[in-house]
């Protein structure tokens, strides 16, 4: 009987070997893995990263951020770690980070920030040093392949000799695999992640080929180099033509004309099925890139609304990893209203209480500065489900709307009309959605009366 079983197993192994020889993609036996240009879970379900970066290494006490990021609708969080350039994150701390990700049903991309700008920044670590850090954490990483991806080193080469990126990266991948890591690996581009000299674009295949597990995804960081839509689409088109897997691992927003065209990034990523991770949740030295101020979900910023709201934003497009079940990533209740002003905002103005197929609207000023402000309007369905809504108000003190998100807003003189967009018109009884806008003001930035009409 034993001989029969041995013969059967040998035949089975030979058959498996024949199948693999036909060219099926090889990947880690379990966990997140790359096939073609896409990332899949162990069960074969495609997974598209939709999330944000969280600066954990500098704010290790801000553990509530994981729940808040999840509640905002993300399915992934990229977590900043350090092996010693800053205060090192210990194995126990990293294990806790992984537990927080799992408890909040977030896929966790762990990145070592020590390598940022190597060759140009004298404080930066090498990729080889980063691999040594991951090896020191191996006891808490092995067995978590379903839940985490390892981003070996953040922006590992600066603008000085970016050509060194290829050899350093292939060696790092080889060392990770030689030490038994089967995780999905993420590789950042040189030029501080932006690849403006296109070293990654020219040498990506060599990097992918260095992975014996065939389980590596490349990552581009998009900031001011990508201020034009044509630059973004050209780079992504070239990647697509090469058939390489890609994630937009970091990007900011167009708060000035020379900054990154975030709306094109969101639209193109959504159209192409690419993952994206905005920088960052909170804690930036320059809070222009904070999605919430001081880690306070009651202080949502313009950047928050641009990356989470809208047809291509996180809230509308993120799908929770199936390893956590099929529940929607969105929070079941509305998030607290935004407030990015240190001083109290004027009180909100609401339309009359609803009855039947109606809606109410509440207007609030969530941030104000000389000559400009940010506003938010919450729309709530009445006692009957609705399929669309229109909000109207008239300014009395010289205010005007400059641009808006999550609604189509038009103005005629001082009169403003806001209509739902395709994804937020249908509301069940009593449920709420919101839209935001930037505006200008002179005189007094008072809160107007608003009306809401449902269909």
């Amino acid at each position: 009987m034993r001989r029969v079983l041995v013969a059967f197993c040998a035949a089975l192994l030979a058959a498996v070997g024949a199948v693999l020889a036909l060219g099926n993609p090889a990947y880690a036996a379990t966990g997140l893995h790359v096939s073609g240009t896409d990332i899949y879970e162990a069960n074969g379900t495609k997974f598209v990263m939709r999330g944000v970066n969280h600066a954990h290494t500098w704010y290790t006490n801000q553990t509530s951020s994981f729940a808040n990021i999840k509640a905002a609708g993300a399915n992934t969080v990229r977590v900043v770690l350090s092996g010693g350039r800053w205060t090192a994150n210990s194995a126990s701390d990293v294990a806790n980070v992984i537990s927080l990700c799992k408890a909040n049903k977030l896929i966790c991309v762990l990145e070592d920030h020590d390598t940022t700008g190597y060759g140009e920044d004298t404080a930066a670590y090498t990729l080889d040093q980063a691999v040594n850090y991951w090896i020191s954490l191996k006891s808490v990483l092995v067995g978590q392949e379903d839940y985490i991806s390892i981003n070996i080193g953040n922006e590992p080469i600066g603008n000085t000799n970016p050509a060194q990126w290829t050899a350093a990266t292939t060696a790092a991948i080889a060392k990770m695999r030689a030490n038994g890591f089967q995780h999905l690996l993420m590789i950042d581009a040189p030029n501080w992640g932006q690849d403006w000299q296109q070293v990654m674009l020219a040498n990506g295949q060599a990097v992918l080929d260095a992975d014996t597990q065939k389980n590596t995804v490349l990552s581009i960081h998009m900031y001011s180099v990508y201020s034009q839509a044509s630059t973004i689409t050209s780079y992504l088109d070239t990647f697509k033509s090469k058939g390489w897997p890609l994630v937009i691992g970091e990007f900011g927003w167009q708060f000035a004309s020379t900054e990154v065209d975030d709306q094109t990034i969101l639209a193109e990523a959504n159209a192409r099925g690419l993952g994206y991770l905005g920088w960052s949740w909170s804690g930036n030295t320059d809070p222009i890139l904070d999605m919430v101020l001081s880690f306070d979900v009651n202080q949502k910023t313009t950047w928050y609304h641009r990356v989470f709201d809208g047809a291509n934003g996180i809230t509308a497009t993120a799908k929770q990893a199936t390893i956590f079940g099929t529940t929607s990533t969105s929070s079941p209740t509305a998030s607290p209203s935004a407030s990015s002003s240190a001083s109290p905002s004027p009180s909100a103005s609401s339309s009359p209480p609803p009855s039947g197929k109606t809606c109410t609207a509440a207007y609030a000023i969530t941030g104000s500065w000389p000559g400009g402000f940010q506003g938010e309007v919450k729309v709530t369905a009445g006692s009957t489900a609705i399929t669309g809504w229109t909000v109207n108000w008239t300014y009395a003190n010289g205010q005007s709307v400059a641009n808006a998100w999550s609604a189509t807003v038009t103005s005629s003189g001082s009169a403003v009309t806001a209509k739902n967009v395709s994804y937020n018109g249908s509301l069940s009884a009593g449920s709420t959605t919101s839209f935001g806008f930037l505006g200008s003001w002179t005189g007094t930035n008072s809160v107007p009366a608003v009306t809401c009409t449902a269909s």
Side-chain angles (χ1 to χ4, degrees):
M1 186 67 171
R2 182 175 181 274
R3 288 184 179 179
V4 171
L5 286 173
V6 169
F8 172 77
C9 290
L12 180 61
L13 288 172
V16 171
V19 170
L20 291 176
L22 292 176
N24 282 1
Y27 50 79
T30 59
L32 297 165
H33 60 271
V34 167
S35 181
T37 60
D38 299 315
I39 296 170
Y40 291 84
E41 295 184 66
N43 64 6
T45 302
K46 183 178 175 179
F47 180 71
V48 181
M49 294 182 180
R50 289 283 187 269
V52 300
N53 288 263
H54 171 48
H56 172 75
T57 198
W58 303 300
Y59 302 99
T60 53
N61 62 326
Q62 295 292 345
T63 53
S64 62
S65 294
F66 293 88
N68 293 335
I69 290 168
K70 173 64 177 184
N75 64 19
T76 305
V77 59
R78 182 172 179 258
V79 183
V80 178
L81 300 175
S82 174
R85 181 174 174 180
W86 296 275
T87 301
N89 298 100
S90 65
S92 60
D93 179 55
V94 174
N96 187 53
V97 165
I98 296 170
S99 295
L100 287 166
C101 287
K102 292 165 71 173
N104 290 288
K105 300 181 180 181
L106 291 164
I107 292 298
C108 206
V109 176
L110 303 176
E111 63 101 338
D112 182 2
H113 219 72
D114 296 328
T115 57
T116 307
Y118 179 78
E120 188 172 349
D121 189 329
T122 57
Y125 285 22
T126 65
L127 275 170
D128 188 66
Q129 288 175 293
V131 174
N132 290 337
Y133 176 55
W134 296 120
I135 292 170
S136 76
L137 300 175
K138 187 175 177 181
S139 63
V140 300
L141 300 177
V142 171
Q144 303 299 327
E145 294 86 354
D146 283 322
Y147 304 97
I148 67 174
S149 169
I150 299 175
N151 192 170
I152 298 179
N154 181 69
E155 301 177 1
I157 309 292
N159 294 324
T160 301
N161 187 23
Q164 65 183 302
W165 173 85
T166 306
T169 301
T170 55
I173 292 172
K175 188 171 179 177
M176 290 290 288
R177 296 308 186 204
N179 279 275
F181 291 95
Q182 294 189 13
H183 304 72
L184 170 65
L185 300 180
M186 188 178 292
I187 301 298
D188 284 5
N191 296 127
W192 300 87
Q194 297 201 73
D195 201 31
W196 62 269
Q197 291 177 293
Q198 300 193 346
V199 172
M200 184 167 78
L201 210 57
N203 297 279
Q205 192 62 56
V207 167
L208 296 174
D209 290 344
D211 185 359
T212 56
Q213 294 286 328
K214 304 303 178 190
N215 197 22
T216 293
V217 61
L218 302 174
S219 173
I220 184 69
H221 292 185
M222 290 184 164
Y223 291 102
S224 57
V225 170
Y226 298 91
S227 61
Q228 300 296 320
S230 58
T231 308
I232 295 167
T233 56
S234 176
Y235 192 91
L236 298 181
D237 283 345
T238 303
F239 239 86
K240 182 179 179 180
S241 70
K242 292 175 180 288
W244 298 342
L246 180 69
V247 168
I248 302 170
E250 286 185 23
F251 65 105
W253 65 286
Q254 198 161 42
F255 56 87
S257 60
T258 57
E259 297 301 325
V260 59
D261 181 358
D262 57 295
Q263 295 305 297
T264 293
I265 289 174
L266 295 174
E268 289 294 326
N270 193 38
R272 298 164 187 262
L274 297 176
Y276 62 73
L277 304 167
W279 184 278
S280 70
W281 184 246
S282 195
N284 290 282
T285 304
D286 181 353
I288 196 74
L289 287 174
D290 282 357
M291 296 174 190
V292 300
L293 298 179
S294 302
F295 295 93
D296 180 2
V297 293
N298 292 312
Q299 297 191 66
K300 297 184 178 72
T301 67
T302 299
W303 178 212
Y304 175 97
H305 291 294
R306 290 179 73 93
V307 76
F308 277 96
D309 300 334
N312 300 304
I314 291 171
T315 303
T317 65
K319 293 183 179 179
Q320 181 175 282
T322 61
I323 191 71
F324 301 119
T326 57
T327 304
S328 168
T329 61
S330 300
S331 173
T333 58
S335 300
S337 61
S339 174
S340 60
S341 174
S343 58
S345 299
S347 60
S349 172
S350 301
S351 51
S355 61
K357 197 169 185 179
T358 58
C359 57
T360 61
Y363 179 113
I365 297 171
T366 60
S368 184
W369 54 93
F373 71 101
Q374 179 177 322
E376 181 185 60
V377 176
K378 286 189 174 182
V379 177
T380 303
S383 58
T384 302
I386 63 175
T387 58
W389 47 262
T390 301
V391 176
N392 291 281
W393 69 87
T394 300
Y395 286 124
N397 300 104
Q399 302 105 311
S400 63
V401 173
N403 63 288
W405 52 90
S406 300
T408 301
V409 178
T410 57
S411 299
S412 177
S414 59
V416 181
T417 299
K419 294 179 179 292
N420 65 274
V421 288
S422 60
Y423 58 86
N424 64 359
S426 295
L427 299 174
S428 58
S431 62
T432 298
T433 190
S434 64
F435 64 92
F437 56 90
L438 296 178
S440 61
W441 63 280
T442 58
T444 302
N445 191 18
S446 59
V447 176
V450 294
T451 61
C452 187
T453 305
S455 59

